[in-house]
Amino acid sequence: MFPSLLDPAAAVVVAGVVGLLVGSFLNVVIHRLPKMLERGWRAQCAELAGQTPANEPAYNLVVPRSACPACGHRITALENVPVVSWLALRGRCRACGAAIPARYPIVELLGALLAMLAIWHFGPTAKGLAACGLLWTLVALTFIDADTQLLPDDLTLPLLWAGLLVNLGGVFVPLADAVIGAIAGYLVLWSVYWLFKLIRGKEGMGYGDFKLLAALGAWLGWKALPGIVLLSSVAGAVVGIVLMVVHRRDGGTPLPFGPYLAIAGAIALFVGEPLARLYLPGP
């Protein structure tokens, strides 16, 4: 993806362009994957009930073509250029004038900026490319969880295995640290889940949070986990308090924890070692 002939500055520019394209695809994943899961669950429920699943048209990450949800206008290639098309259309559907949410170009820009940061920080290397993959997946998980309070196994489990695979060669951490990180990441939040349930009699988080922290442990190692848990917990508490004060939300209203884990994981990717030195004794 990044030929050795590219100097670092050119590699960062290429990463930005590729990141915009990936960000456009991430918008498709964020929108369609939860709907794909719902269709699968309906089919499974129908089978368990002894019914014939509904014969629905194909719906996946490739088909049908993207269309305006308000009028069904098929999005053309020129209308699907990352960021540029949204600006040219002034955030409106060309056919019916319905508003196109600003989140679409925001996700595309996030894909570009995170890729540029990864290549700038790690260089045009296998490590930089792997970091891009991790960050792009975290973006998808963040927005899906914010929308649906779901962290799909279709993303968290491949992310976990990818982390272990990448660290077979010690790209980010030694393999032993990655394996311990995956185990500890799952068990930490699993323990919190059951402790909360025993004390309060209700669930405080979902199993997807366990799997996401396990995946981050597989990528970044066990030493990064305390920092990730601390950063995500503080961010979640602050946002929860602000929502309670500003929007008068009930303290019992569930909030997705995945976005805070993802943000904390992204921070740990870049500053994990100095962060770990703050709470782990030196040699």
Side-chain angles (χ1 to χ4, degrees):
M1 178 178 177
F2 299 104
S4 57
L5 295 177
L6 283 180
D7 62 54
V12 170
V13 173
V14 173
V17 174
V18 174
L20 284 173
L21 298 174
V22 172
S24 182
F25 176 70
L26 291 179
N27 277 318
V28 176
V29 175
I30 292 165
H31 177 75
R32 295 194 181 192
L33 184 56
K35 296 180 181 297
M36 291 162 56
L37 293 174
E38 289 177 8
R39 287 168 62 117
W41 295 333
R42 287 198 299 269
Q44 291 172 12
C45 289
E47 290 178 359
L48 290 173
Q51 302 170 354
T52 302
N55 187 18
E56 299 178 289
Y59 187 87
N60 52 48
L61 299 180
V62 179
V63 295
R65 279 177 49 193
S66 297
C68 172
C71 68
H73 166 69
R74 298 287 184 180
I75 307 300
T76 66
L78 288 178
E79 294 170 336
N80 207 26
V81 179
V83 180
V84 175
S85 291
W86 188 87
L87 292 173
L89 293 168
R90 298 182 180 180
R92 299 263 173 199
C93 171
R94 190 184 69 178
C96 70
I100 303 172
R103 194 174 76 175
Y104 287 100
I106 288 173
V107 169
E108 291 164 353
L109 287 171
L110 268 177
L113 292 173
L114 290 173
M116 294 171 73
L117 181 59
I119 298 304
W120 172 79
H121 186 81
F122 297 111
T125 61
K127 188 172 186 178
L129 188 57
C132 289
L134 170 60
L135 292 167
W136 289 330
T137 307
L138 292 178
V139 169
L141 286 167
T142 294
F143 284 92
I144 290 174
D145 198 22
D147 286 344
T148 65
Q149 296 192 16
L150 291 173
L151 290 170
D153 288 352
D154 301 63
L155 294 178
T156 55
L157 295 184
L159 187 65
L160 190 157
W161 289 112
L164 295 176
L165 182 63
V166 164
N167 284 320
L168 276 176
V171 173
F172 291 98
V173 293
L175 180 60
D177 285 11
V179 172
I180 295 171
I183 297 170
Y186 189 91
L187 290 179
V188 164
L189 292 187
W190 178 87
S191 301
V192 172
Y193 167 90
W194 281 107
L195 182 62
F196 185 89
K197 190 170 184 179
L198 288 172
I199 294 174
R200 298 291 300 274
K202 58 182 180 180
E203 298 180 353
M205 64 178 63
Y207 279 63
D209 297 317
F210 316 163
K211 297 167 189 174
L212 177 54
L213 188 57
L216 292 172
W219 278 83
L220 306 176
W222 65 269
K223 293 179 183 178
L225 292 178
I228 292 173
V229 171
L230 178 61
L231 287 173
S232 58
S233 299
V234 171
V238 170
V239 171
I241 292 171
V242 169
L243 289 175
M244 289 173 62
V245 172
V246 176
H247 297 288
R248 301 183 182 278
R249 290 185 61 162
D250 183 357
T253 302
L255 289 174
F257 191 50
Y260 309 113
L261 284 173
I263 293 169
I267 293 171
L269 173 66
F270 295 106
V271 297
E273 291 186 11
L275 184 63
R277 285 198 292 268
L278 295 177
Y279 52 81
L280 291 177

